[in-house]
Amino acid sequence: MPLLEDSVGVEDLILLEPLAQESLLKNLQLRFENKEIYTYIGSVVVSVNPYQQLPIYGPEFIAKYRDYTFYELKPHIYALASMAYQSLKDRDRDQCILITGESGAGKTEASKQVMSYVAAVCGKGEQVNSVKEQLLQSNPVLEAFGNAKTIRNNNSSRFGKYMDIEFDFSGSPLGGVITNYLLEKSRVVKQLKGERNFHIFYQLLAGADAQLLKALKLNRETSCYAYLNQEVSRVDGMDDASNFKTVQNAMTVIGFSEEEIRWVLEVTALVLKLGNVELVDEFQANGIPASGIRDGRGVQEIGELVGLNAEELERALCSRTMETAKEKVVTALNFIQAQYARDALAKNIYNRLFNWIVYRINESIKVGTGERKKVMGVLDIYGFEILQDNSFEQFVINYCNEKLQQVFIELTLKEEQEEYKREGIPWTKVEYFDNGIICNLIEHSQRGILAMLDEECLRPGVVSDSTFLAKLNQLFSKHDHYESKVTQNALHQYDHTMGLSCFRICHYAGKVTYNVSSFIDKNNDLLFRDLSQAMWKAKHPLLQSLFPEGDPKQTSLKRPPTAGSQFKSSVATLMKNLYSKNPNYIRCIKPNDQQQRGQFSTELVATQARYLGLLENVRVRRAGYAYRQVYGTFLERYRMLSRSTWPRWTGKDQEGVKKIMEELNVTSEEMAFGKTKIFIRSPKTLFFLEEQRRFEIQQLVTLIQKTYRGWRCRTHYQLMRKSQILISSWFRGNMQKKRYGKIKASTVLIQAFVRGWKARKDYRKYFRSGAALTLADFIYKSMAQQFLLGLKNNLPPQKVLDSTWPTSRYKYFNTANQQLRQLFYQWKCKKFLDQLSPKQVEVLKEKLCASELFKGKKASYPQSVPVQFRGDYIGLQGNPKLQKLKGGEAGPVLMAETVKKVNRGNGKLSPRILLLTQGHVILADTKKSQTKTVIGLDSVAGVSITSFNDGLFSLHLSEISSVGSKGDFLLISEHLIELLTKMYRAVLDATQRQLPVTVTEKFSVKFKDGSVTVKVIQRPGGGETGKLSCKKKGGHNLEVTV
């Protein structure tokens, strides 16, 4: 039965009835199928991975859970994060959030949601935002170097992470410290079928540009590298190239310099290239097996990449130096030993690189030692693992989970006991399974499994995994939580699942069988000193710093601590840290192995529930009172169950709660009253309260509905009545308005008839005689108005050459229409002239003058109209010699061209240069460019031309001039129209008289010896300009054929 009306299943498993494994799984499945992935066990959050994005995150939900207490809204990870943060901020209590679960259960995503919530609700400011951004950006960097695709999870964390986020007194983040645990470095050299190496290798190959790959001596194809699984190079839904850019940006935000990022990528490339160093079998001269490198190119590239001597690296990979206090012995490694050394080096480099990255992040986000701070820890660590073949890694992981379970049970009981004591409720001892005996079996300093493993690793003589197992069988043969083939045989038990090289531990979550193969090697975790020294000699700053033991000055013969002892020490430190803080738990569960949305495997979830101890947790929390609530909240929810407290209670909250419980006849055994809370023992009592509340709410809803319906009907009736009154009044008013309108219209009509009758009567009496003139004048004015308005709307375009004009509808207006046409044309011309420059006006004046002189008189005139008057046809401006012909006369040369002079004696033609200035006409010799004749414009008496298409003209001179005594000039010009136009204007400007231009085919020319009559005739078919011949006929006649 759900606690809240709109809830799915039971939101808090403490209230589950009946309390059993089946009902717990059924409740989780019901909520999962309805996309309710979070469920409570008291203050513990159980999270089932939905394998899809749900719309239950973001700023809206953060604001929602920020304003409510833990139990007021649906179960959510934000509620737990809010409770932890508020406890840290308001109560000054350091917090830790423990996130556990199998690979693929959503631990990494849960830790991201916790950090995003804390980042959203804590303080603002430039420095605070910078710290928050650095803390959040540490996730993509650690995921790239510490996460990989596994069979169970596409983004599985292959290391444990504990982050302490440190806050100031106001709750604003100052920085943090990250601690990493047990990176799965064996994945660097080998992956199971269907799995990938760490993400960074694929991101680097996919996302680096060609220049970076060339600098790192890498190929983009993953198939080129032995350490990368060839079967799985891509993961659905994961963009390695984009993620590489994200990692680079995140490292920059955290504080990595560009040089440090380059170092990290170079060391990563070094690990990839180590896998491609191919080793081969060789034999020494004495026949002892040895090893060598097939192709030295790979070692050479590694040396160039990190500044390492290739020969030294090859020697370190293929031999080993044994050093004692007295001597050194160099031993060649066989093929298998050399492969082990190569892989060990690759694993150590990557493991140390990962530790350095964590150290570098901590350097950026650490807080000064002098600042007073509060701490919230977030633990994202691997869950309990039971595989088909469990080795050393599963052993230490399960040991860590045993310790976390111990902490969980102890702190949960401690929290319960403290709450009972705080509220003054008697504490009853709770029976539970204490897994301390299992922890002691593993971690005992003298007789524990880890101690025996270390002892076997340090013991001189022949040491193997079998001798280690024999020692365990001897020590723990009678231990209740230890089994092996030997102990089973002693008890005459047969178990075909137990191998000869295996032992089994009965953990809190179930029995796990471990194979001791490689326990000794993995615990030793040795790297030959030759390899450490070779790495230290590299000229690469980062790689050299990763191997400080390679420094000859710091060489120590002391054996380094084993992997088991280091992990035990780390777990002890972690436990001490957790005990010092207030714990908060998130238990992550994956619903299926296929990572499919909507699928819920009951068997798989049951196994994880057992690993996580969910049922045990519920039993511990229900051992005393299953439900407790603050008096005020309890009274607010259930006050309608008592007439004394409903609808308003004015007394104390505790007294109101007691009134409710008394009237409901709840027995005293089922409840207890603390100082601030009421405690209810059985969930049935709470369900009874909820059932009574539902019944009362139904009664109240019925009452509210009845009251509301009555109010609504009354309101509706009043509105209808008001509307009816309004409509009636409007209708009556409208009818009266219409009646008034009809009366008014009738009155106006009668008045109009009367006024018309009176007007007609007066008109007949006074104005009938002058009506025709008045009407005629009115009609004329109307016609004139229509004519002018029509003309206004149909004016032709304002182009000068456009001579169109609308005709008049009435002949009466023809004269006015022509005058208006002329005015409009003159206006257009004036407007056109106003737009012209002085030079353009001058050109038009010349053309106008030419039109007045020659239009309709000279056949060659039409050809000259479109041609522009140039004035200079002999290149006068660029010829200084010709410019001298002008003499000292001021002013421009108006016309300069070559003309032909007709000889007076024989009619032959001779070329002359003619210059027309403002005062003279100058004729000069074309060959010598010497002036022959200078004629003043005042001496020019007239000009005679023909009407034909020719250039012949006669220049008549006055007899009183100095040149006139020689006679007139008969000349031929190719630009006759332009020459005579300019000469006409020049004479007019110089003498203020018009130059006579006579058009005739027969004219007289005065020469020195007498006058000659020139007769011009046209050839049959018409003449062409320039085709002209002169022929002397007699002494006084000259015939010119054109």
Side-chain angles (χ1 to χ4, degrees), residues 313-327:
L313 177 59
E314 183 175 352
R315 186 165 52 250
L317 287 171
C318 299
S319 63
R320 179 183 179 187
T321 302
M322 304 291 291
E323 186 174 353
T324 63
K326 296 181 180 180
E327 61 179 346

Side-chain angles (χ1 to χ4, degrees), residues 188-208:
V188 173
V189 299
K190 185 179 180 182
Q191 305 94 44
L192 296 178
K193 185 176 180 180
E195 296 191 350
R196 290 205 317 177
N197 210 322
F198 291 102
H199 291 325
I200 186 61
F201 296 116
Y202 304 92
Q203 293 174 359
L204 174 59
L205 296 180

Side-chain angles (χ1 to χ4, degrees), residues 524-802:
N524 275 326
D525 194 25
L526 291 178
L527 182 69
F528 298 151
R529 185 176 291 112
D530 303 67
L531 294 171
S532 299
Q533 291 175 349
M535 294 299 104
W536 186 84
K537 290 178 182 177
K539 296 179 182 178
H540 192 277
L542 175 56
L543 184 61
Q544 188 181 60
S545 68
L546 298 180
F547 292 88
E549 74 275 15
D551 186 354
K553 296 179 182 179
Q554 299 181 11
T555 300
S556 173
L557 299 179
K558 184 179 179 182
R559 188 182 183 91
T562 62
S565 62
Q566 290 183 51
F567 189 76
K568 176 183 173 183
S569 175
S570 298
V571 170
T573 304
L574 175 63
M575 296 303 115
K576 183 179 178 181
N577 205 342
L578 297 180
Y579 276 116
S580 66
K581 295 178 175 61
N582 182 55
N584 304 272
Y585 302 94
I586 300 173
R587 303 301 207 191
C588 298
I589 294 175
K590 65 176 182 180
N592 60 78
D593 277 326
Q594 292 75 36
Q595 304 178 34
Q596 295 293 321
R597 65 178 69 179
Q599 292 186 13
F600 189 91
S601 172
T602 306
E603 295 78 9
L604 180 64
V605 175
T607 303
Q608 294 174 81
R610 187 173 69 254
Y611 294 171
L612 296 171
L614 299 186
L615 205 58
E616 186 76 10
N617 186 10
V618 176
R619 288 196 180 101
V620 169
R621 293 299 299 265
R622 282 179 56 164
Y625 294 92
Y627 178 79
R628 70 283 322 256
Q629 186 57 269
V630 178
Y631 288 126
T633 305
F634 188 90
L635 179 64
E636 183 66 26
R637 184 168 182 81
Y638 298 109
R639 60 190 174 129
M640 73 283 297
L641 301 183
S642 170
R643 294 184 179 277
S644 303
T645 56
W646 181 260
R648 187 177 291 107
W649 173 255
T650 56
K652 293 182 178 179
D653 292 342
Q654 184 175 2
E655 294 175 359
V657 172
K658 286 181 179 180
K659 280 282 185 186
I660 294 171
M661 303 306 278
E662 287 173 3
E663 293 190 17
L664 291 174
N665 298 320
V666 179
T667 60
S668 59
E669 290 79 9
E670 279 294 314
M671 61 182 176
F673 295 98
K675 294 179 180 178
T676 62
K677 296 179 181 179
I678 179 174
F679 288 71
I680 296 176
R681 187 179 299 277
S682 171
K684 291 181 180 179
T685 304
L686 186 63
F687 294 146
F688 169 72
L689 291 174
E690 282 295 314
E691 191 62 36
Q692 293 296 316
R693 182 175 179 273
R694 286 194 189 95
F695 177 76
E696 288 297 329
I697 287 177
Q698 288 176 359
Q699 298 296 320
L700 290 172
V701 167
T702 303
L703 177 63
I704 292 170
Q705 287 177 340
K706 181 179 70 174
T707 307
Y708 170 73
R709 290 192 186 104
W711 170 83
R712 189 177 65 177
C713 288
R714 286 191 300 275
T715 305
H716 183 64
Y717 166 75
Q718 290 171 357
L719 287 173
M720 288 181 64
R721 185 170 180 273
K722 288 180 181 178
S723 300
Q724 188 272 333
I725 294 172
L726 181 63
I727 292 170
S728 298
S729 62
W730 182 87
F731 178 77
R732 288 193 294 269
N734 189 49
M735 290 295 293
Q736 292 298 324
K737 287 178 183 177
K738 286 183 178 180
R739 185 167 175 271
Y740 169 75
K742 289 180 179 179
I743 294 172
K744 183 177 179 182
S746 301
T747 303
V748 171
L749 182 62
I750 293 169
Q751 288 176 346
F753 273 108
V754 172
R755 291 194 190 96
W757 172 77
K758 289 177 68 178
R760 287 191 295 273
K761 185 178 177 182
D762 293 339
Y763 171 75
R764 285 194 294 270
K765 183 177 180 180
Y766 299 109
F767 304 106
R768 197 167 194 175
S769 58
L773 294 175
T774 303
L775 287 173
D777 183 59
F778 174 77
I779 291 171
Y780 172 76
K781 288 180 179 179
S782 297
M783 289 171 62
Q785 185 180 18
Q786 289 180 2
F787 165 69
L788 292 174
L789 289 175
L791 192 61
K792 172 189 173 184
N793 296 328
N794 294 301
L795 285 176
Q798 296 183 10
K799 295 180 181 179
V800 177
L801 299 179
D802 189 345

